[in-house]
Amino acid sequence: MLTEEEISMVLNTYMYMNYKEAEDGMTLREILEEVQKLPEYQEGGRYYGEYSVVSEAAGDDRVGEMVIGSQSHLMGFDDGTCACTFSSKENDEVYVVYRGTGDGEWPDNGLGMTREKTLQQERALTYFETVVEKEGYQEGNRVIVTGHSKGGNKAQYVTMTTSYDGVVSACYNIDGQGFSEKAIARWKRSYSDHEYEARRSKITGIYGENDYIHVLGRSIVREDQTYYVKTPVAVENFAGYHDIKYMFAAPGKEQGEKTSMIFSGSKNSYVAEPGLLLACAAALSAEVMKMPEEKRDGAAAVLMQLMELSGKKKRGQNGEVLTKKDVEDFYGAGIPVILKSLLLTEEGRSVFFRLFQGRNLEAEMEGRQFVQIEKGGFDRALMVSEELLAGLSDCFERLERIQKQIPFWFRLGSAVDNRIVMQMNFLDGKKRELVKMKEKLQEIRGIYDRMDKQMEEEMAL
């Protein structure tokens, strides 16, 4: 029998099936009977993994007999809101589910790291309170608010902000990011300490062991209500670390150099500690949150706009566009923070080598779509790495000079000499690591140079 948190995760997975033809009042089983005939949901199809998770879970009557309702796109809400309810057959249990980042919502994610509230968060709140009033939910009902990624952020926002606090029984935040200091300060001003903690205690955080999104911003989830789920994702599948269906995945048969995945209707086990990529992302987020608010706002805007390029809309859901100052903040403050986290932290260096060491980057990029970026960023990265190398070399040479000044008879077996040798070995190891990183940066820079040259030659023909 599936637990409440597992049902929340399954319903969040359903939201990524992107099936808009379901009618309010249909059971989940009835919806699955319709979609199984469509190519996108069959083996090899775009949504086969999500379909497999939901279909397997629907074998449990508690899930299969759930009824969909209050679909936001049928209520006049914008595409970004993307929410619905699932009610038990007896209507004594209701899940309010928010989908993750929709097309045009990435800039709103960035604003959530500096603003007290965002338009999309407020629209999620309006949706919830509209549904509560429409359906007449009372404190006696079991109402669970949940969402994945940006949906998880919205679910938390609703739980912390709604005037119908008594209606919310629990909140399950799946991989959802945190908030700005302003947002948290607003809640602490608005409520007594007891009420703030009472709302916060309703939130359970469930994250992939290497998820890199939920660490953005300041978390309000209690540590004792935070859990990490095993996600068996191939190293090269970076997006998979934030893909909810991999919380239900297990390695299958080997197919050449790749291993197929089997998706079940039961979530994977929890792990004791988060993974290396998550630790690296947390270190980066911590550095970003230390930036002055106005520069953090601009740097986040650029990063989120780059993410938005993968969708159809080239500007935000609410008309957000980049300014010259945003770009200046990104290059002046954002890139140094990213490089510091990647090159100077143990987690960052480990992730860098895990992702890139020993791989032919140019061969892997061939035939793929990617975003052309301003090459000056690579030049600045190379300059920083050269400065770091120079600093490490200078420290190494100073220690070497100090060691040579120690009399030979005093060196043998002395703690001072041993300590110096240990420090020299440490610095030498860091120098070698940094040289390899610099070589990879030069390799990537070279790829862009060759592609620019190829494009120039093609345009000249």
Side-chain angles (χ1 to χ4, degrees), residues 265-284:
S266 300
K267 75 167 182 61
N268 293 335
S269 60
Y270 289 127
V271 296
E273 297 290 338
L276 182 63
L277 180 58
L278 190 156
C280 178
L284 172 58

Side-chain angles (χ1 to χ4, degrees), residues 209-210 230-243 245-247 249 251 261 354:
E209 62 182 325
N210 273 306
K230 186 173 182 60
T231 48
V233 179
V235 173
E236 64 272 12
N237 183 13
F238 185 76
Y241 291 114
H242 185 61
D243 190 329
K245 66 176 178 283
Y246 284 96
M247 293 186 180
M261 285 289 172
R354 185 178 175 187

Side-chain angles (χ1 to χ4, degrees), residues 28 69 182 195 208 219 228 233 332 341 348 374 384 408 446-447:
L28 192 51
K182 284 184 178 178
E195 184 177 356
S219 175
Y228 300 99
V233 179
S341 298
E374 202 270 321
V384 170
F408 177 76
I447 292 170

Side-chain angles (χ1 to χ4, degrees), residues 163-439:
S163 57
Y164 293 106
D165 170 50
V167 174
V168 179
S169 303
C171 171
Y172 292 100
N173 165 35
I174 321 296
D175 286 347
Q177 72 183 63
F179 298 90
S180 68
E181 297 93 337
K182 284 184 178 178
I184 297 172
R186 171 197 174 197
W187 292 321
K188 289 186 174 181
R189 284 196 312 271
S190 302
Y191 311 131
S192 65
D193 291 346
H194 174 75
E195 184 177 356
Y196 174 80
E197 288 300 328
R199 287 180 181 249
R200 181 175 168 237
S201 67
K202 293 180 181 181
I203 304 171
T204 298
I206 303 172
Y207 313 119
E209 62 182 325
N210 273 306
D211 175 66
Y212 46 84
I213 293 296
H214 79 273
V215 293
L216 300 176
R218 304 286 187 197
S219 175
I220 59 171
V221 183
R222 287 171 37 163
E223 190 173 338
D224 62 344
Q225 293 177 196
T226 298
Y227 303 93
Y228 300 99
V229 179
K230 186 173 182 60
T231 48
V233 179
V235 173
E236 64 272 12
N237 183 13
F238 185 76
Y241 291 114
H242 185 61
D243 190 329
I244 191 170
K245 66 176 178 283
Y246 284 96
M247 293 186 180
F248 299 85
K253 296 179 180 178
E254 290 188 6
Q255 299 176 344
E257 295 182 357
K258 295 184 178 180
T259 301
S260 63
M261 285 289 172
I262 299 172
F263 297 98
S264 73
S266 300
K267 75 167 182 61
N268 293 335
S269 60
Y270 289 127
V271 296
E273 297 290 338
L276 182 63
L277 180 58
L278 190 156
C280 178
L284 172 58
S285 177
E287 291 298 326
V288 169
M289 294 305 290
K290 291 177 186 175
M291 292 169 61
E293 186 177 289
E294 66 278 4
K295 292 190 178 297
R296 187 199 318 161
D297 202 1
V302 174
L303 285 170
M304 296 305 164
Q305 193 64 50
L306 287 172
M307 298 297 288
E308 193 60 63
L309 291 174
S310 63
K312 295 177 182 178
K313 295 182 180 178
K314 302 311 175 192
R315 59 173 57 203
Q317 178 76 34
N318 303 300
E320 300 98 335
V321 293
L322 291 181
T323 65
K324 181 182 178 183
K325 185 179 181 303
D326 290 337
V327 177
E328 289 173 350
D329 288 340
F330 177 68
Y331 281 111
I335 285 181
V337 165
I338 293 170
L339 287 174
K340 179 181 177 182
S341 298
L342 187 63
L343 300 178
L344 297 184
T345 67
E346 184 177 346
E347 298 89 352
R349 290 192 298 271
S350 298
V351 168
F352 188 95
F353 282 111
R354 185 178 175 187
L355 290 174
F356 299 120
Q357 193 172 28
R359 289 165 56 182
N360 185 335
L361 299 181
E362 188 163 17
E364 291 187 21
M365 290 177 72
E366 187 176 353
R368 294 190 180 186
Q369 292 184 344
F370 58 93
V371 178
Q372 176 79 29
I373 70 170
E374 202 270 321
K375 290 183 292 187
F378 282 117
D379 293 335
R380 281 184 282 276
L382 285 167
M383 183 176 67
V384 170
S385 63
E386 287 169 358
E387 290 174 354
L388 289 170
L389 271 173
L392 288 173
S393 298
D394 182 57
C395 289
F396 185 89
E397 290 169 4
R398 287 184 185 185
L399 286 172
E400 196 172 38
R401 286 197 297 271
I402 292 171
Q403 188 192 38
K404 288 178 179 178
Q405 292 172 7
I406 299 174
F408 177 76
W409 55 267
F410 186 76
R411 281 194 216 171
L412 296 175
S414 76
V416 174
D417 187 64
N418 288 340
R419 189 65 180 268
I420 291 174
V421 171
M422 286 175 62
Q423 289 297 321
M424 289 174 67
N425 289 337
F426 174 79
L427 290 173
D428 190 52
K430 295 306 172 188
K431 280 172 59 181
R432 288 197 298 270
E433 286 183 16
L434 198 52
V435 166
K436 290 178 182 177
M437 291 182 189
K438 180 182 172 184
E439 289 172 351

Side-chain angles (χ1 to χ4, degrees), residues 89-101:
K89 197 172 183 180
E90 296 77 18
N91 204 35
D92 60 351
E93 190 175 51
V94 180
Y95 291 80
V96 180
V97 190
Y98 293 93
R99 187 192 186 279
T101 306

